[in-house]
Structure formats: structure tokens, C-alpha cells
Amino acid sequence: QVQLVESGGGLVQAGGSLRLSCKASGRIFSFNTMGWYRQGPGKQRELVAVITRGGSTNYADSVKGRFTISRDNAENTVDLQMVSLKPEDTAVYCCNAVTFAPGGIILNYWGQGTQVTVSS
């Protein structure tokens, strides 16, 4: 089993910064991608940012230029640095990790989530 544990959420004023961290533990295979998703009040879950094992990144348009994703393959961690936060960034942020296993099997892991609240 693989567990993903997030930390770093909290309450911040608009314009402020937060750094989210996620650490994987357990029976870990090589994660092909690691990323962050979020679900705001009354909204569907959406991709925030994803990073491949090689370091390629992809961001939601709404966070480009404000959020930066990074990972440490040796430590099996993925971080999300968030600056210039806006009230619309308020959401539960969940860590995700994906492994492409032999036989075409895709293993998808999720953390429990951490609340980020941005006050205006």
C-alpha cells in the first residue's frame, strides 16, 4: 500500500503565500507523475499542477505564473509553492501520484487533502 500525506495548508490573506508538501510512504514503485488537484466549494475537482519524473510540468491556466510544482524523486515528495493567492484559490488540495505498472496497469494514489483558505 502507498500512502500520501499532505501538509502546509491553512488560512492566508489574499496576496499571501503558502507551500504545500506531500510525502509518499509504503510500498512505493517509481511514480511516473505526481501532482496536485483541488476542489473548491461547489466545484468539481480540477488539476492544479503535475510534474513528471523527468521534471516536465503542466499547470492549470488559472495558476500559471503564481504556483510552482517541484518534486524530489529520491524522497518521494512533491511540493506546491503558491504565491499571490486569491480567494478563488480556496479549496481542498489533494496530492496525487501515478505509476504505470507492467501490463498496462495504471496505479493512481490520492492523499486525504489539505484545506487552503484565502480571505479577501
Side-chain angles (χ1 to χ4, degrees), residues 24 31 80 104:
F31 295 129
L80 186 69

Side-chain angles (χ1 to χ4, degrees), residues 84-95:
S84 301
L85 283 161
K86 304 175 181 180
E88 51 263 44
D89 294 319
T90 295
V92 175
Y93 285 69
C94 289
C95 177

Side-chain angles (χ1 to χ4, degrees), residues 12-87:
V12 64
Q13 288 188 332
S17 302
L18 281 174
R19 186 178 185 89
L20 305 183
S21 295
C22 173
K23 182 169 178 61
S25 62
R27 190 175 180 183
I28 298 172
F29 297 96
S30 173
F31 295 129
N32 294 85
T33 67
M34 299 186 78
W36 290 91
Y37 287 73
R38 68 185 181 186
Q39 186 166 15
K43 299 180 181 179
Q44 291 187 332
R45 185 171 62 190
E46 63 175 352
L47 171 70
V48 177
V50 64
I51 184 168
T52 68
R53 186 169 182 81
S56 297
T57 59
N58 190 36
Y59 295 91
D61 288 342
S62 59
V63 307
K64 284 180 180 177
R66 299 188 298 121
F67 291 10
T68 303
I69 190 170
S70 60
R71 67 184 281 180
D72 184 325
N73 293 329
E75 295 293 326
N76 290 303
T77 59
V78 60
D79 292 348
L80 186 69
Q81 178 66 49
M82 306 183 292
V83 302
S84 301
L85 283 161
K86 304 175 181 180

Side-chain angles (χ1 to χ4, degrees), residues 1-2 4 31 33-35 37 45 95-101 105-111:
Q1 287 283 13
V2 173
L4 302 178
F31 295 129
T33 67
M34 299 186 78
Y37 287 73
R45 185 171 62 190
C95 177
N96 172 260
V98 176
T99 294
F100 301 154
I105 298 172
I106 298 175
L107 302 175
N108 206 357
Y109 304 102
W110 293 94

